[in-house]
Amino acid sequence: MGGKRRWMWAQVRAIGMGLWLLNVIQSGAAFGLDAPQGGTRSEAQEQKAATPEGGAEFRRGTRDYRLRAARLQEGEQIVLDGLLNEPVWRRADVADNFVQTEPREGEPATEPTEARVAYDRETLYIGIIAYDSEIRRLIISELRKDFNLSNGDVVQVVLDTFFDRRNGYEFATNPGGAKWDAQMTNEGREVNSDWDGIWHVRVQINERAWTVEMAIPFRTLKFREGDVHVWGINFMRRIRRKNEETYWAPIPRMFNSIHYVSRAGVLEGIEGIRRGTDFRIKPYVVGSWADFATGVASPHRVFKGDGGVDAKWGVTSGVTLDLTYNTDFSQVEADEQQINLTRFSLFFPEKRDFFLEGSGIFRFGPGEQGGGMMGGGGGGMGGRLGAVRNDLILFFSRRIGLSDAGEPIPLRAGVRLTGRAGPYELGFLNIQQEALGVTPSTNFLVTRVRRNVLANSDLGFMFMNVARPHGFNRVYGADANFRFFQNLNLHGYMAKAAAPGLREGTGAWRVGMSWRNNFWETRHSFTSIGEQFKNDLGFAPRVGIRKTSDFLGLHWRPRAISRTVRELFPHWQIDYIMTPSGRLDTRLVDYHLPVTFQNGTFLEVGVNSTYERLVEPFRIHPAAVVPVGRYSFNEYFFLLNSDRSKPVSVSLRLGTGPFYDGYRQSYSSGVNGRVKYRFATSFNYARNNIRLSTGRFHTDLLTLRAAYSFSTSIFLNALIQYNSVARTWSSNIRFNIIHRPLSDLFIVYNERREAGTGRLLDRALVVKFTYLFNF
């Protein structure tokens, strides 16, 4: 079997390398799939078609995409009302002639867009006119902060303030004036949309266009010191009813993201600006009332009041120091529940603002590690349920201030230093966690240094230490990420753990590559994690493994059905997971055929083939155990997500097939509704019917969300969940008023009840008030 398997892998890799070399030779000329239907091309379009990657508009150079900002004259000011009627807007250069990335790469936008930039000593202003021949058909999906960019009309700008062609700040809004902002690093390998900057936006809608005025104080941004500044800049517009995305400085379809600032234009003419004093203090007060079940008729009631403070100081124009004392996260939304039908730990994303801001510098290894597990057998709508794609997240901030069950542990104080100095990016984090129950007082230290090399590559080092009264755990790591030809990515990392009693098997390493153009996509990697790789600050679902992973996909856009279908993406993925001695433990083989329609509807069918070798039984459910043995089984599934821009959309996943020594049927369905742009709701239900030799059982997971936006600064959100395995109903209701920028009033109600009896397990009402002092 070993020789046959090695022969098969040799053939697969030979085919993959052959396809890659073929595409290097072809330079992505790729089958002419994007030619327009009917009609004749202009001379410019013929030139584009004859040039790889869409012609002159897709050159890496920026000579044709330069924009000069207009400075406000003495006594002149901009009234932020969305009208763009001040004289400075008439003096400013115009960024126009946007170009499509979707659906017809390289062709002019179907609706004109104009963007302008102005500034004074303390503020950058951005004005955008988004013309629309059918203005009544604008789609406004929601008003909440950090809204979903994909479901409605949007304009977005990226600012590469260090002009390093790697990193930037992103700001977006919709016709309703909702705000979205993010920090982006390494051209999108990390996009932190939980970053919150101080900025303002106003929007107007008239009979010909919707117009936008943004005001971004320079103190919100980091940039190099100096009298004259040159930044990277690009603009994106999404016309959702046409599912069209256009850019000022064009982005090839294989990237299709404003994050690629190496292809952005140039912003010139900014002189004599200052960030001012960048020092903020944000105190908070919080009061809570809680009931806890005690086994008697009346619950145990607790009243509590507390306070704390966060501070932020711009040490230099590129480095920021954050301090926190008596940190509180009571306003954070509850985790979305999952049901685990695997042998391994589930992944829950970080939601706490303090750890999300500036998190990009602490990312280690390749960018796809940000949460690649599909559903855990619960309510996920992925192609494969329960697949563990995250082999190792070296630094996982949920290890700080949260127990294994997700319960909060008090944090006394913390300090974080992030930013850049020359070609180096720096990150330092130190948090002191208090003792709680059996958890001792613990200090967490994370240090990160990354150096930019070549055009768009980086080398990095990381050190982490967890110190407790009677022990420690240290992890050292180094990583490298290289990008060549804009298509080829190579990455690798090495890490080693140290703790009392550890001897052999304390290392982890990975090497990998990926290639992508408009037609082919392929990824290959090998990962090794030692049996004693102990990392109390990381996430590794399983240790003691050697894993080979290969992926090959085809982005096919047949012209014959292009009026309805945008893309077919048949792909194949195989994961081999072995013991350190080379014995096969798990094999996952996916054969999937997704179809993306022109209106955004998504359909997928496929087969998921699984092999598992169990050396010990595992309890998959309180009613059933999977015995020791070797198991091979296939799941056949169908997945549908309808157009989310519509007032009502649906999602559906059906799966069936053998499961270990029995059979499994899974059903997931959801309905999303929207009343105008103020009220949105979603209902999702997932059920598994499972029959094994040791017993039958079913699982149910229900999730109900509702959100009402009174304005762009007042929101009400509710999350209600039912979990049949935990036998609980849980509710999380949050009311939020942003009474001034980055200052909030939160009223949060949480409740858990026992399913069936309705017995109260616990409930709490929390009121929290924050106020930002900006010096």
Side-chain angles (χ1 to χ4, degrees):
M1 281 294 293
K4 183 178 180 180
R5 188 162 62 245
R6 285 191 295 271
W7 176 87
M8 181 184 70
W9 281 114
Q11 298 305 306
V12 169
R13 289 198 173 89
I15 293 171
M17 289 301 295
L19 291 171
W20 177 68
L21 290 172
L22 175 64
N23 279 274
V24 172
I25 295 169
Q26 290 179 331
S27 298
F31 306 98
L33 293 177
D34 296 303
Q37 291 180 326
T40 59
R41 291 178 172 178
S42 68
E43 182 179 350
Q45 290 170 334
E46 293 288 355
Q47 292 173 351
K48 287 183 210 172
T51 307
E53 295 188 353
E57 277 80 356
F58 289 121
R59 288 198 308 266
R60 184 179 175 84
T62 57
R63 183 176 305 166
D64 298 329
Y65 298 97
R66 292 182 176 272
L67 188 67
R68 177 164 291 273
R71 181 161 188 143
L72 274 72
Q73 298 174 355
E74 188 70 28
E76 192 176 13
Q77 64 179 2
I78 290 179
V79 177
L80 202 71
D81 53 14
L83 293 177
L84 279 78
N85 54 4
E86 291 83 2
V88 68
W89 293 123
R90 293 191 291 272
R91 300 196 307 269
D93 284 358
V94 180
D96 55 6
N97 297 320
F98 281 45
V99 175
Q100 292 186 49
T101 293
E102 292 284 2
R104 312 190 70 78
E105 181 184 21
E107 293 193 7
T110 61
E111 305 284 355
T113 306
E114 297 177 358
R116 296 169 172 84
V117 178
Y119 72 100
D120 57 26
R121 186 173 175 81
E122 297 182 346
T123 305
L124 183 75
Y125 300 95
I126 296 173
I128 300 174
I129 304 176
Y131 294 98
D132 201 308
S133 58
E134 299 178 273
I135 199 69
R136 295 183 181 276
R137 297 187 63 191
L138 290 176
I139 297 176
I140 307 174
S141 60
E142 50 192 336
L143 292 182
R144 69 179 175 89
K145 191 180 182 306
D146 293 331
F147 61 98
N148 188 310
L149 297 179
S150 301
N151 294 338
D153 284 67
V154 168
V155 292
Q156 185 176 4
V157 60
V158 62
L159 298 172
D160 175 9
T161 56
F162 284 90
F163 202 47
D164 58 9
R165 298 301 188 183
R166 300 166 180 265
N167 310 299
Y169 297 90
E170 299 180 5
F171 303 90
T173 189
N174 63 16
K179 295 169 66 176
W180 183 97
D181 51 19
Q183 281 181 326
M184 178 274 298
T185 60
N186 287 300
E187 295 203 297
R189 286 211 302 268
E190 175 76 19
V191 179
N192 181 10
S193 60
D194 293 283
W195 172 79
D196 288 324
I198 296 177
W199 62 290
H200 310 275
V201 63
R202 292 293 183 271
V203 175
Q204 296 283 346
I205 302 175
N206 57 48
E207 67 278 3
R208 298 176 56 231
W210 59 287
T211 58
V212 175
E213 279 184 325
M214 296 181 181
I216 306 169
F218 286 121
R219 69 169 60 187
T220 298
L221 309 172
K222 297 176 184 176
F223 48 86
R224 292 188 177 93
E225 295 180 356
D227 293 330
V228 179
H229 297 267
V230 177
W231 294 355
I233 190 169
N234 204 358
F235 302 93
M236 185 277 289
R237 180 183 177 187
R238 175 173 291 111
I239 306 172
R240 187 58 183 87
R241 70 179 182 276
K242 303 179 182 181
N243 212 11
E244 176 181 307
E245 293 184 23
T246 62
Y247 294 85
W248 172 55
I251 302 293
R253 194 181 73 224
M254 63 181 175
F255 302 137
N256 191 20
S257 172
I258 202 171
H259 311 323
Y260 282 84
V261 288
S262 61
R263 293 177 174 268
V266 177
L267 178 62
E268 301 173 314
I270 298 179
E271 301 177 2
I273 64 174
R274 65 185 185 92
R275 295 184 71 238
T277 303
D278 188 11
F279 182 61
R280 310 176 193 171
I281 296 179
K282 188 176 181 178
Y284 79 86
V285 292
V286 61
S288 64
W289 163 77
D291 283 341
F292 300 94
T294 59
V296 297
S298 60
H300 175 59
R301 182 160 295 175
V302 177
F303 296 92
K304 183 180 178 182
D306 208 346
V309 63
D310 296 333
K312 183 184 293 288
W313 175 36
V315 181
T316 70
S317 61
V319 177
T320 300
L321 176 69
D322 291 277
L323 303 170
T324 181
Y325 175 75
N326 205 24
T327 315
D328 177 77
F329 303 112
S330 57
Q331 79 281 7
V332 175
E333 183 187 61
D335 287 324
E336 192 163 319
Q337 296 191 25
Q338 304 177 45
I339 293 176
N340 195 356
L341 297 176
T342 74
R343 295 178 284 157
F344 312 106
S345 299
L346 294 174
F347 177 87
F348 291 90
E350 178 63 86
K351 293 186 176 183
R352 297 169 297 174
D353 291 342
F354 181 81
F355 294 107
L356 288 168
E357 184 176 351
S359 60
I361 181 59
F362 298 106
R363 181 195 54 79
F364 183 87
E368 70 266 17
Q369 65 178 15
M373 296 202 304
M374 300 303 300
M381 285 284 189
R384 175 184 280 272
L385 298 180
V388 181
R389 303 298 191 196
N390 268 331
D391 305 310
L392 173 63
I393 300 177
L394 196 68
F395 172 56
F396 185 47
S397 56
R398 280 183 65 106
R399 300 298 187 204
I400 303 174
L402 289 173
S403 68
D404 291 339
E407 297 299 321
I409 302 175
L411 300 180
R412 175 53 56 194
V415 58
R416 178 181 61 208
L417 185 73
T418 57
R420 69 177 59 225
Y424 294 94
E425 295 180 65
L426 312 172
F428 174 85
L429 177 68
N430 189 276
I431 298 286
Q432 183 63 42
Q433 177 180 284
E434 295 187 345
L436 181 68
V438 298
T439 303
S441 175
T442 307
N443 181 265
F444 300 94
L445 171 68
V446 184
T447 302
R448 174 71 158 147
V449 179
R450 186 163 59 205
R451 200 216 194 269
N452 297 330
V453 297
L454 304 178
N456 201 357
S457 304
D458 58 83
L459 303 171
F461 172 79
M462 197 169 212
F463 170 73
M464 303 188 298
N465 183 62
V466 178
R468 299 185 176 94
H470 303 291
F472 68 89
N473 176 212
R474 299 183 183 122
V475 176
Y476 313 80
D479 64 334
N481 299 277
F482 294 94
R483 178 181 292 165
F484 301 107
F485 319 120
Q486 295 288 296
N487 303 80
L488 176 63
N489 292 277
L490 306 176
H491 68 263
Y493 65 70
M494 296 184 296
K496 188 171 180 61
L502 296 187
R503 296 291 185 268
E504 302 294 328
T506 59
W509 59 275
R510 169 173 166 147
V511 293
M513 63 83 68
S514 64
W515 167 271
R516 167 75 197 271
N517 66 11
N518 276 357
F519 200 72
W520 295 105
E521 181 176 353
T522 184
R523 301 189 295 269
H524 310 277
S525 66
F526 182 85
T527 305
S528 175
I529 303 177
E531 293 178 285
Q532 295 192 68
F533 183 76
K534 177 179 173 61
N535 182 5
D536 292 341
L537 265 173
F539 178 82
R542 57 201 294 184
V543 296
I545 64 167
R546 296 168 59 193
K547 177 181 175 181
T548 302
S549 181
D550 295 275
F551 176 96
L552 180 64
L554 171 69
H555 296 270
W556 185 30
R557 300 198 171 194
R559 278 183 285 176
I561 54 175
S562 62
R563 291 182 63 87
T564 304
V565 174
R566 177 164 296 185
E567 181 173 281
L568 304 175
F569 182 41
H571 60 267
W572 167 84
Q573 179 167 352
I574 184 165
D575 293 342
Y576 265 81
I577 304 174
M578 298 162 283
T579 65
S581 63
R583 186 165 187 177
L584 181 63
D585 248 4
T586 301
R587 181 184 64 239
L588 308 175
V589 187
D590 299 348
Y591 307 92
H592 293 182
L593 176 60
V595 182
T596 302
F597 293 85
Q598 292 291 4
N599 66 355
T601 297
F602 178 83
L603 181 150
E604 184 175 11
V605 295
V607 180
N608 297 318
S609 177
T610 302
Y611 168 84
E612 291 275 12
R613 181 178 70 93
L614 302 184
V615 296
E616 58 183 33
F618 87 94
R619 183 165 293 279
I620 193 172
H621 185 270
V625 173
V626 180
V628 172
R630 299 177 181 176
Y631 302 93
S632 294
F633 48 92
N634 294 333
E635 182 200 33
Y636 306 89
F637 75 91
F638 168 85
L639 172 67
L640 173 68
N641 294 316
S642 70
D643 181 3
R644 290 294 299 270
S645 71
K646 299 296 183 183
V648 177
S649 62
V650 298
S651 57
L652 175 68
R653 187 189 189 279
L654 305 175
T656 186
F659 188 64
Y660 292 102
D661 61 356
Y663 205 81
R664 171 181 172 179
Q665 294 174 322
S666 63
Y667 314 91
S668 301
S669 60
V671 178
N672 302 283
R674 187 180 73 246
V675 180
K676 293 188 179 294
Y677 48 82
R678 295 192 181 274
F679 179 72
T681 184
S682 66
F683 174 84
N684 293 280
Y685 174 68
R687 181 180 180 91
N688 288 285
N689 292 324
I690 297 176
R691 182 181 72 248
L692 301 174
S693 62
T694 57
R696 296 187 177 191
F697 65 93
H698 68 267
T699 68
D700 296 288
L701 189 61
L702 182 149
T703 304
L704 174 64
R705 288 183 177 274
Y708 187 85
S709 299
F710 297 89
S711 68
T712 58
S713 59
I714 304 177
F715 316 99
L716 178 64
N717 297 277
L719 172 62
I720 299 173
Q721 301 181 86
Y722 167 69
N723 187 323
S724 66
V725 176
R727 296 183 57 79
T728 58
W729 283 91
S730 63
S731 303
N732 173 231
I733 301 172
R734 299 182 304 137
F735 179 67
N736 176 208
I737 298 176
I738 305 175
H739 56 89
R740 67 193 307 266
L742 301 187
S743 303
D744 299 87
L745 170 66
F746 293 99
I747 302 176
V748 182
Y749 180 74
N750 295 306
E751 181 180 283
R752 286 193 312 130
R753 290 186 177 272
E754 188 178 80
T757 66
R759 183 175 68 91
L760 177 68
L761 299 176
D762 55 65
R763 63 184 171 192
L765 178 67
V766 179
V767 179
K768 181 177 179 179
F769 181 82
T770 70
Y771 193 96
L772 178 71
F773 295 92
N774 199 4
F775 300 95

Coordinates of all heavy atoms in Angstrom, one line a residue, residues 335-338 346-350 373 396 398 539:
D335 N -20.9 33.8 21.6 CA -20.5 32.9 20.6 C -21.7 32.2 19.9 O -22.7 31.9 20.6 CB -19.6 31.8 21.1 CG -18.2 32.4 21.5 OD1 -17.7 33.3 20.8 OD2 -17.6 31.9 22.5
E336 N -21.5 32.0 18.6 CA -22.5 31.2 17.9 C -22.3 29.7 18.2 O -21.2 29.3 17.9 CB -22.5 31.5 16.4 CG -23.7 30.9 15.7 CD -23.9 31.5 14.3 OE1 -23.7 32.8 14.2 OE2 -24.2 30.8 13.4
Q337 N -23.2 29.0 18.7 CA -23.0 27.7 19.1 C -22.8 26.7 18.0 O -23.2 26.9 16.9 CB -24.2 27.2 20.0 CG -24.4 28.0 21.3 CD -25.4 27.4 22.2 OE1 -25.6 26.2 22.2 NE2 -25.9 28.2 23.1
Q338 N -22.0 25.6 18.3 CA -21.7 24.5 17.4 C -22.0 23.2 18.1 O -21.9 23.1 19.3 CB -20.3 24.6 16.9 CG -19.9 26.0 16.2 CD -18.5 26.0 15.8 OE1 -17.9 25.0 15.2 NE2 -17.8 27.1 16.1
L346 N -13.3 22.4 18.7 CA -14.0 23.3 17.8 C -13.3 24.7 17.8 O -12.7 25.1 18.8 CB -15.4 23.5 18.1 CG -16.3 22.3 17.9 CD1 -17.7 22.6 18.4 CD2 -16.4 21.8 16.5
F347 N -13.3 25.4 16.7 CA -12.8 26.7 16.6 C -13.9 27.8 16.8 O -14.9 27.7 16.1 CB -12.1 26.9 15.2 CG -11.5 28.3 15.0 CD1 -10.3 28.6 15.4 CD2 -12.3 29.3 14.3 CE1 -9.8 29.9 15.2 CE2 -11.8 30.5 14.1 CZ -10.5 30.8 14.5
F348 N -13.7 28.7 17.7 CA -14.6 29.9 17.9 C -13.7 31.1 17.6 O -12.7 31.3 18.2 CB -15.2 29.9 19.3 CG -16.1 28.8 19.5 CD1 -15.7 27.5 20.0 CD2 -17.5 28.9 19.2 CE1 -16.6 26.5 20.3 CE2 -18.4 27.9 19.5 CZ -18.0 26.7 20.0
P349 N -14.2 32.1 16.8 CA -13.5 33.2 16.5 C -13.4 34.2 17.6 O -14.2 34.3 18.5 CB -14.2 33.8 15.3 CG -15.6 33.4 15.5 CD -15.5 32.0 16.1
E350 N -12.3 35.0 17.6 CA -12.2 36.1 18.6 C -13.2 37.2 18.3 O -13.4 37.6 17.1 CB -10.7 36.7 18.5 CG -10.4 37.8 19.4 CD -10.6 37.5 20.9 OE1 -9.6 37.0 21.5 OE2 -11.7 37.7 21.4
M373 N -12.3 26.0 9.7 CA -13.0 24.8 10.0 C -14.5 25.0 9.7 O -15.1 26.0 10.0 CB -12.8 24.4 11.5 CG -11.4 24.1 11.8 SD -11.2 23.1 13.2 CE -12.0 24.1 14.4
F396 N -3.3 32.5 19.5 CA -4.8 32.5 19.5 C -5.2 33.2 20.7 O -5.2 32.7 21.8 CB -5.3 31.1 19.4 CG -6.8 31.0 19.3 CD1 -7.5 31.7 18.3 CD2 -7.5 30.1 20.1 CE1 -8.8 31.6 18.2 CE2 -8.9 30.0 19.9 CZ -9.6 30.7 19.0
R398 N -7.9 34.0 22.2 CA -9.0 33.5 23.0 C -8.4 32.7 24.2 O -9.1 32.3 25.1 CB -10.0 32.7 22.2 CG -11.0 33.5 21.5 CD -12.0 32.6 20.8 NE -12.8 31.8 21.7 CZ -14.1 32.1 21.9 NH1 -14.7 33.1 21.4 NH2 -14.8 31.4 22.8
F539 N -3.7 27.5 19.1 CA -4.8 26.6 18.7 C -4.3 25.5 17.8 O -3.8 25.8 16.7 CB -6.0 27.3 18.1 CG -7.1 26.4 17.7 CD1 -8.1 26.0 18.6 CD2 -7.2 26.0 16.4 CE1 -9.1 25.2 18.2 CE2 -8.3 25.2 16.0 CZ -9.2 24.8 16.9

